[in-house]
Amino acid sequence: MAHRASGRALSLLRGRLRPLGPAAAGGCAARPQARPDSSGAAVQRAPQAAGAEEAGEDSEVNIRKKTFTEVQTERLEQAERTVLIKCPQKLNGKKLLQYLSSHGNINSHFFFENRGVHALIEFSEKDSIASLQDAIGIPSAAEHHVVPFKSRLFTFALKNTVSQAAEETPVHLSPQSHIPVTELIQKLCHADSISSQMYILLNEYQLTEENIKLRFLACSLVRDFARAYFPDSTVKPFGSSVNTFGKLGCDVDMFLDFHDTRKHAAKMKKGPFEMEYQMKRLPSERLATQKILSVIGDCLDNFGPGCVNVQKILNARCPLVKFSHQPTGFQCDLSVSNSIAIKSSELLYIYGCLDSRVRALVFSVRCWARVHGLTNSVPGTWITNFSLTMMIVFFLQKRSPPIIPTLDQLKELADEKDKHVIGGYDCSFVSDLSKIKRTKNTETLDVLLGDFFEYFGNFDFRKNSINLRKGKEVNKPESSPLYIWNPFEQDLNISKNVNQPQLEKFVAMARESAWILQKEDKTQRMINKEPWGLAALLIPFGKSNPSKMKNRMKGIGSETIRSLLDSLKLNNANSLQKAVGK
């Protein structure tokens, strides 16, 4: 019954949204726009429920044909043909586009608000940018002396403000942030099933086609600086910007890639001479990374238009430069050649593309976790979004039949071009989505959400760890409260930061959520106009039901004591071994 109800809601959503075509290169799922872009860019419909036999499913399969690398390459190339314009206050959008078209054909465009109205313009040819740059002047140095770096960031102002102000026309502004949770809850209450609620949340929170283009443009603008020093380098986004799990407003993680410089190594083998560039030699890769980031950080800080609050964090495990990019509105983290992080992004991209339920469940659980203070935007002892996503992926691997394959199964499907060993770690898995069999599992999201909370509300964290490579629980190799094996660097625990109180809080919230979904009277709640289903889970529990929370907390305290005792035993055993060794 719930499945049929979900289908009706999704049919209504599909009536409003057009499917995202393969040419959009947004991966498998960019968020829908409110209306089609005037350039003709297609938009994404709400994903259909698993097991639905509709013609639309074929179009989803077609969308997935592009590999992660193909999508990134296409988007980076689009970004190189793109400029960002701060528009005049009295804007006539049609007139602006008309003028810009005199420099070349415009492929796509959109307007957005960020300390004034901005326009992102993607030309068909790179030459159009050069033509536009030739027509643009250097700012007046009357008040401040300017750094004469000609970027692809422009400011347009009206020459005759009086006569042209009358021609002002409203333009559609693309949203760059998601709606507040209170507004989301109201929307969810109008759905007819938990499944449809979860797809509504997904459509509201996921990255839009426009926002993805803006992220790649930010990387492309940083690349323009990097190429002053390293002509063959590129700057690529990774993490939530590209793995299909990014939420509107999330930071842009980017890395400086010297992949093209490695291609020169292959060319050295040709010809009668051993030939190589004379390059600065340093004692370690880490030192080289620190020096490169230090110079690029200074360059952005001193010369980068709109790059502010630049921080060089060079002694971190992974050295990086943090900065705010004001023209796009993004907080950015720049690192160097983060190859394993890219493979993690690709793995999540594959999981996100295989089944629409994966992303819907991840977005819903992440939103739930943020509302209840289980995750946080600043580092600490709480569960990270990445760890939480890994837990959801693991849960879906455990279904019967599994909804997504394990990493070992993806490795078995890999061909020669998919084989990658990075820093001694095997990062091989299939990149061609068409080689992966689709699941026969047809469980609704209503079932999966409730079962997720029940599964982890009763998981034996004291003994077991989570292993995505094998898709099963294995004994914990050490006593961290939460142990999630890094999918590639198998000697690392990605959740090592999580402490016992935070894990207990997660378990308590999971139990409470499972209880609400099992016991609530949906019909009565709808009659009373009260939040139900997912909407009820997005309201903090403790304030309204302190006694119920206490009941669900029973038994968790004893787990803490057992964990501490086990930790003491482990420490004593290690001390004894060391003593015997001496």
Side-chain angles (χ1 to χ4, degrees):
M1 190 70 181
H3 186 70
R4 288 198 297 273
S6 170
R8 285 197 301 274
L10 294 173
S11 297
L12 288 171
L13 281 168
R14 289 192 197 105
R16 293 191 291 112
L17 305 168
R18 290 168 48 202
L20 177 71
C28 53
R31 179 190 157 182
Q33 299 165 309
R35 61 178 177 80
D37 181 72
S38 57
S39 66
V43 294
Q44 168 76 4
R45 63 174 167 81
Q48 64 187 49
E53 295 177 2
E54 297 183 21
E57 189 161 321
D58 292 333
S59 66
E60 273 200 47
V61 174
N62 291 334
I63 291 165
R64 298 188 183 122
K65 283 185 178 176
K66 284 184 181 171
T67 66
F68 176 81
T69 303
E70 288 167 347
V71 170
Q72 305 320 303
T73 302
E74 188 169 332
R75 284 211 176 273
L76 286 166
E77 194 273 328
Q78 286 174 348
E80 289 187 12
R81 294 183 274 105
T82 301
V83 299
L84 190 62
I85 298 168
K86 186 171 184 180
C87 300
Q89 285 186 337
K90 306 292 183 181
L91 174 64
N92 183 317
K94 189 175 180 183
K95 202 164 186 179
L96 175 69
L97 294 172
Q98 213 168 25
Y99 168 72
L100 292 169
S101 295
S102 69
H103 292 280
N105 185 45
I106 296 173
N107 255 11
S108 68
H109 75 276
F110 65 88
F111 297 94
F112 67 98
E113 170 67 38
N114 175 34
R115 301 183 184 188
V117 175
H118 288 69
L120 181 143
I121 309 293
E122 181 201 331
F123 287 105
S124 298
E125 303 290 339
K126 271 190 194 179
D127 292 346
S128 302
I129 296 176
S131 170
L132 182 59
Q133 284 174 322
D134 286 342
I136 290 176
I138 301 293
S140 167
E143 292 181 25
H144 303 283
H145 192 74
V146 296
V147 176
F149 175 76
K150 295 180 180 178
S151 71
R152 287 176 282 144
L153 299 169
F154 311 128
T155 299
F156 281 26
L158 299 175
K159 284 182 178 177
N160 188 336
T161 53
V162 178
S163 63
Q164 294 186 54
E167 299 177 11
E168 181 184 3
T169 56
V171 293
H172 170 69
L173 298 176
S174 169
Q176 300 303 310
S177 59
H178 59 76
I179 61 174
V181 173
T182 49
E183 193 178 324
L184 174 68
I185 288 170
Q186 291 174 6
K187 279 196 169 195
L188 299 185
C189 289
H190 296 298
D192 62 357
S193 72
I194 291 174
S195 289
S196 57
Q197 284 182 332
M198 292 170 74
Y199 281 127
I200 288 168
L201 184 148
L202 173 63
N203 281 323
E204 289 294 339
Y205 273 49
Q206 68 183 346
L207 299 182
T208 61
E209 169 70 9
E210 297 93 339
N211 193 266
I212 294 170
K213 286 190 173 188
L214 202 55
R215 288 167 184 271
F216 275 84
L217 176 61
C219 293
S220 186
L221 293 170
V222 173
R223 182 220 62 175
D224 290 347
F225 275 102
R227 284 197 171 174
Y229 293 94
F230 311 106
D232 291 328
S233 65
T234 56
V235 175
K236 299 176 182 176
F238 69 96
S240 54
S241 294
V242 295
N243 65 17
T244 75
F245 295 98
K247 182 181 80 168
L248 279 173
C250 66
D251 294 352
V252 179
D253 294 313
M254 54 178 79
F255 75 104
L256 187 60
D257 188 26
F258 299 104
H259 181 71
D260 285 344
T261 60
R262 290 195 286 272
K263 288 179 183 175
H264 287 294
K267 293 179 183 176
M268 285 167 51
K269 295 176 183 176
K270 297 178 181 178
F273 299 104
E274 290 287 339
M275 301 178 292
E276 63 182 21
Y277 286 102
Q278 292 185 20
M279 291 182 171
K280 186 85 172 177
R281 297 178 186 273
L282 294 169
S284 71
E285 184 180 1
R286 180 176 175 81
L287 182 60
T289 295
Q290 289 171 328
K291 285 184 176 290
I292 290 166
L293 285 175
S294 181
V295 170
I296 299 296
D298 285 340
C299 193
L300 292 173
D301 196 16
N302 294 317
F303 309 132
C307 294
V308 299
N309 303 325
V310 178
Q311 294 176 276
K312 297 187 289 185
I313 306 170
L314 304 179
N315 291 321
R317 180 176 171 264
C318 179
L320 74 153
V321 173
K322 295 178 82 74
F323 63 97
S324 297
H325 193 252
Q326 285 184 333
T328 57
F330 294 129
Q331 297 295 316
C332 304
D333 289 353
L334 174 68
S335 54
V336 172
S337 295
N338 204 339
S339 302
I340 287 185
I342 279 287
K343 294 307 289 182
S344 294
S345 301
E346 183 176 2
L347 179 64
L348 284 176
Y349 170 86
I350 287 171
Y351 283 141
C353 288
L354 284 176
D355 193 292
S356 63
R357 292 170 292 177
V358 179
R359 297 176 65 248
L361 186 60
V362 167
F363 273 79
S364 295
V365 173
R366 277 186 177 183
C367 185
W368 165 85
R370 177 53 64 91
V371 164
H372 296 291
L374 299 171
T375 57
N376 201 300
S377 57
V378 295
T381 58
W382 30 76
I383 298 171
T384 64
N385 271 332
F386 183 62
S387 291
L388 194 57
T389 303
M390 293 294 105
M391 292 170 78
I392 298 162
V393 166
F394 179 75
F395 165 75
L396 294 174
Q397 289 174 338
K398 296 276 294 174
R399 303 307 288 172
S400 182
I403 291 175
I404 49 178
T406 67
L407 182 52
D408 278 350
Q409 288 166 340
L410 292 177
K411 181 185 170 183
E412 286 171 14
L413 297 172
D415 57 25
E416 203 57 42
K417 74 176 188 309
D418 295 323
K419 290 181 179 172
H420 298 280
V421 176
I422 303 168
Y425 297 105
D426 189 352
C427 301
S428 307
F429 57 87
V430 66
S431 59
D432 185 350
L433 289 155
S434 64
K435 290 183 178 178
I436 306 169
K437 271 189 185 178
R438 295 188 61 140
T439 181
K440 291 191 167 104
N441 183 305
T442 58
E443 291 174 298
T444 65
L445 282 165
D446 303 52
V447 171
L448 292 173
L449 184 66
D451 283 4
F452 170 83
F453 291 128
E454 193 173 333
Y455 178 77
F456 281 111
N458 295 290
F459 190 88
D460 191 352
F461 289 106
R462 190 172 58 89
K463 289 182 180 177
N464 294 330
S465 63
I466 292 166
N467 191 315
L468 277 78
R469 188 168 275 280
K470 300 181 184 305
K472 63 181 182 182
E473 304 100 337
V474 295
N475 289 334
K476 281 162 74 166
E478 46 102 341
S479 60
S480 293
L482 175 61
Y483 198 103
I484 304 173
W485 297 72
N486 186 304
F488 302 113
E489 298 171 276
Q490 284 278 281
D491 51 348
L492 295 181
N493 171 15
I494 63 170
S495 55
K496 195 173 179 65
N497 63 300
V498 180
N499 65 15
Q500 190 67 32
Q502 287 297 324
L503 179 60
E504 288 178 9
K505 185 179 178 184
F506 170 80
V507 171
M509 293 296 176
R511 289 177 181 178
E512 177 72 4
S513 299
W515 185 87
I516 287 172
L517 292 176
Q518 286 170 11
K519 301 296 181 184
E520 76 171 359
D521 185 341
K522 172 189 162 186
T523 308
Q524 191 58 47
R525 279 181 169 269
M526 291 182 82
I527 292 168
N528 296 341
K529 296 184 178 177
E530 294 176 353
W532 61 275
L534 178 60
L537 302 186
L538 300 184
I539 299 169
F541 302 147
K543 293 173 187 174
S544 56
N545 292 313
S547 59
K548 288 180 182 177
M549 277 296 291
K550 200 175 263 186
N551 290 335
R552 247 74 73 197
M553 288 287 286
K554 279 182 183 176
I556 300 176
S558 57
E559 289 174 16
T560 309
I561 295 165
R562 283 197 298 269
S563 179
L564 287 169
L565 288 171
D566 285 350
S567 178
L568 287 169
K569 284 176 189 173
L570 188 68
N571 289 336
N572 288 337
N574 289 339
S575 301
L576 185 62
Q577 281 181 341
K578 285 178 184 176
V580 170
K582 287 177 182 176

